[in-house]
């Protein structure tokens, strides 16, 4: 199940980014993203260990180029979230294979997918919200907000670890 979702996430990532390029008539970008996505999917299907890191870097670079070229609408952000999901699922799958026999493997997969979807959904929503608002902050206030965010994130991670035990 994890491998299938990982490949589907790669396809979603490539499709979203290609759609963003296509909506702005950037056909070379569309073709390049679709080709890179197809190569990533093929490498993942063949269980190549280098596929996820290389694919994630390619998608991140393509998303950065899309942002520089003015591809808006959140397409690059959503594509990057989907690429991160694909990378995480593939890394989880590799760890499960390396562990050999895993007790309650389907249950662990379901819990991992549930947590990942929560994080990806919240991350995607926050990223889209960040693109929608423009706020001017002083450096001190930005630093304070960063510290508060790190504290809250550490509390959420600690809560999720305790809930998983």
């Amino acid at each position: 199940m994890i491998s299938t979702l990982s490949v589907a996430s790669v396809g979603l990532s490539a499709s979203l980014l290609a759609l963003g390029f296509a909506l702005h008539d950037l056909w070379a970008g569309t073709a390049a993203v679709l080709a890179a996505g197809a190569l990533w999917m093929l490498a993942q299907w063949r269980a190549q260990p280098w596929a996820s890191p290389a694919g994630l870097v390619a998608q991140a670079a393509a998303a950065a180029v899309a942002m520089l070229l003015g591809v808006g609408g959140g397409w690059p952000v959503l594509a990057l979230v989907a690429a991160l999901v694909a990378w995480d699922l593939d890394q989880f799958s590799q760890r499960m294979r390396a562990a050999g026999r895993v007790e309650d493997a389907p249950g662990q997969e379901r819990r991992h997918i549930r947590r990942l979807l929560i994080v990806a959904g919240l991350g995607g929503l926050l990223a889209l919200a960040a693109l929608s608002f423009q706020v001017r902050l002083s450096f001190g206030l930005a630093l304070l907000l960063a510290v508060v965010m790190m504290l809250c994130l550490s509390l959420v991670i600690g809560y999720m670890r305790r809930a998983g035990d």
Side-chain angles (χ1 to χ4, degrees), residues 17-43:
L17 199 49
L19 179 63
F21 277 116
L23 289 174
H24 289 81
D25 293 328
L26 299 168
W27 301 109
T30 303
V33 166
L34 289 175
L39 286 174
W40 188 4
M41 289 171 70
L42 178 64

Side-chain angles (χ1 to χ4, degrees), residues 16-109:
L16 288 171
L17 199 49
L19 179 63
F21 277 116
L23 289 174
H24 289 81
D25 293 328
L26 299 168
W27 301 109
T30 303
V33 166
L34 289 175
L39 286 174
W40 188 4
M41 289 171 70
L42 178 64
Q44 260 189 325
W45 180 67
R46 300 179 119 207
Q48 298 293 325
W50 52 266
S52 287
L56 180 61
V57 167
Q59 285 296 93
V65 168
M67 293 299 280
L68 289 174
L69 293 176
V71 173
W75 299 114
V77 172
L78 294 175
L80 192 55
V81 169
L84 285 166
V85 167
W87 172 81
D88 181 81
L89 289 172
D90 189 56
Q91 295 299 307
F92 182 78
S93 176
Q94 287 181 19
R95 285 192 311 270
M96 292 286 278
R97 278 194 305 268
R101 178 165 155 62
V102 177
E103 198 170 309
D104 189 30
Q108 288 189 19
E109 287 180 355

Side-chain angles (χ1 to χ4, degrees), residues 103-127:
E103 198 170 309
D104 189 30
Q108 288 189 19
E109 287 180 355
R110 281 192 304 275
R111 284 189 294 277
H112 184 79
I113 291 169
R114 190 177 315 121
R115 290 176 183 159
L116 180 62
L117 288 178
I118 290 169
V119 169
L122 289 174
L125 287 174
L126 288 173

